[in-house]
């Protein structure tokens, strides 16, 4: 079981790395999901951008690398994780199938500086079907502020552990975040990950700029940084 899960973790991590390293330019206009309105676009290192869409059924974040769609991150209206989809050759999806014991909200994070995440998620790939992982997550927010695009963001971090069997270890993620309460925005940056106690690996996706409607980098599918 552990070997199977470790193999799944390696394929998951490889999918992420492959997308950031090998995407080729594909110039086109960014599609807007039905029922959604774009709110902000963050420009990251390694030629990546992420656009936040406020939708009738929740919040979507679409990440592009060098013009190609790499991933969709899905959240409820309170920014709690509902899943994500990698659209490169791995075609991998992680979807919430059961809520955690205590639903939380972004406003709780802003007020208290810390919230918990939970629930069960199903991993699906071309060869794996509905492998269940249980999430034990914490989101923390500091008082440190950075101004991007004329908006103040508070710095924070997400710590997530997905376990196929509670207490048995699993997929670990630590993600830098920026939160702008007035704009109802949460932007993810650098991520460190490991699988079943393996050596942590940094995936650089540092947030360099954030643009809003009417600004030049809004809705861009190619970052101003790291595309050389």
């Amino acid at each position: 079981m552990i070997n199977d899960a470790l193999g799944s973790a390696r394929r998951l991590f490889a999918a992420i790395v492959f997308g950031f390293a090998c995407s080729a330019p594909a110039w086109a206009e960014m599609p807007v999901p039905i029922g959604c309105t774009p709110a902000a676009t963050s420009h990251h290192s390694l030629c990546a951008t992420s656009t936040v869409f406020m939708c009738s059924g929740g919040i979507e974040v679409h990440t592009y690398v060098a013009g190609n769609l790499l991933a969709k991150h899905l959240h409820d209206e309170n920014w709690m994780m509902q899943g994500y989809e990698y659209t490169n050759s791995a075609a991998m999806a992680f979807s919430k199938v059961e809520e955690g014991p205590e639903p939380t909200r972004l406003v709780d994070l802003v007020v208290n500086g810390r919230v918990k995440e939970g629930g069960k998620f199903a991993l699906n790939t071309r060869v794996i079907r509905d492998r269940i992982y249980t999430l034990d997550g914490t989101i923390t927010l500091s008082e440190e502020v950075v101004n991007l695009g004329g908006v103040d963001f508070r710095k924070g971090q997400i710590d997530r552990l997905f376990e196929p069997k509670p207490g048995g270890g699993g997929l670990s993620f630590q993600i830098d975040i920026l939160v702008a309460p007035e704009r109802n925005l949460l932007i993810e940056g650098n991520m460190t990950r490991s699988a079943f106690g393996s050596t942590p690996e940094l995936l650089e996706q540092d947030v360099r700029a954030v643009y809003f409607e009417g600004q030049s980098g809004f809705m861009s599918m190619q970052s101003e940084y790291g595309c050389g």
Side-chain angles (χ1 to χ4, degrees):
M1 176 65 180
I2 293 297
N3 288 337
D4 288 346
L6 183 57
S8 300
R10 288 170 175 161
R11 287 188 287 272
L12 171 62
F13 292 169
I16 300 171
V17 172
F18 180 86
F20 275 90
C22 302
S23 293
W27 310 121
E29 184 176 349
M30 182 186 296
V32 177
I34 295 173
C36 300
T37 301
T41 300
S42 53
H43 287 231
H44 303 249
S45 53
L46 299 183
C47 204
T49 66
S50 292
T51 294
V52 177
F53 293 96
M54 300 299 180
C55 306
S56 57
I59 300 168
E60 297 187 15
V61 182
H62 294 193
T63 296
Y64 286 79
V65 177
N68 282 331
L69 180 64
L70 168 66
K72 297 179 182 180
H73 284 67
L74 310 176
H75 310 263
D76 67 14
E77 65 277 8
N78 297 309
W79 278 102
M80 292 301 104
M81 177 182 170
Q82 299 299 299
Y84 54 81
E85 304 169 0
Y86 281 90
T87 57
N88 57 27
S89 62
M92 188 171 292
F94 220 35
S95 305
K96 181 177 278 188
V97 294
E98 184 179 314
E99 291 289 344
E102 296 183 11
T104 52
R105 303 174 299 165
L106 187 66
V107 66
D108 297 325
L109 174 63
V110 173
V111 171
N112 302 320
R114 183 178 185 272
V115 295
K116 293 288 292 180
E117 288 186 305
K120 293 185 178 181
F121 291 76
L123 173 65
N124 283 279
T125 71
R126 289 192 176 96
V127 296
I128 297 171
R129 291 291 179 268
D130 295 325
R131 179 166 293 167
I132 302 300
Y133 288 79
T134 299
L135 169 63
D136 180 9
T138 304
I139 309 176
T140 55
L141 201 59
S142 74
E143 295 297 329
E144 186 176 356
V145 175
V146 60
N147 188 281
L148 295 169
V151 173
D152 285 341
F153 290 84
R154 288 173 62 182
K155 292 185 176 182
Q157 180 173 297
I158 299 174
D159 292 277
R160 289 180 176 138
L161 176 63
F162 294 93
E163 296 180 300
K165 183 178 180 180
L171 315 178
S172 174
F173 300 86
Q174 293 80 43
I175 306 166
D176 294 339
I177 58 171
L178 298 174
V179 174
E182 294 79 9
R183 296 271 186 149
N184 190 31
L185 287 176
L186 186 154
I187 295 173
E188 296 186 5
N190 289 335
M191 176 173 66
T192 302
R193 68 221 177 167
S194 64
F196 296 94
S198 65
T199 301
E201 178 184 8
L202 172 66
L203 176 61
E204 182 186 344
Q205 42 191 2
D206 191 42
V207 181
R208 302 293 182 86
V210 179
Y211 295 104
F212 301 93
E213 186 173 5
Q215 298 177 331
S216 60
F218 183 64
M219 293 284 285
S220 174
M221 295 189 295
Q222 176 162 313
S223 176
E224 297 172 344
Y225 307 92
C227 295

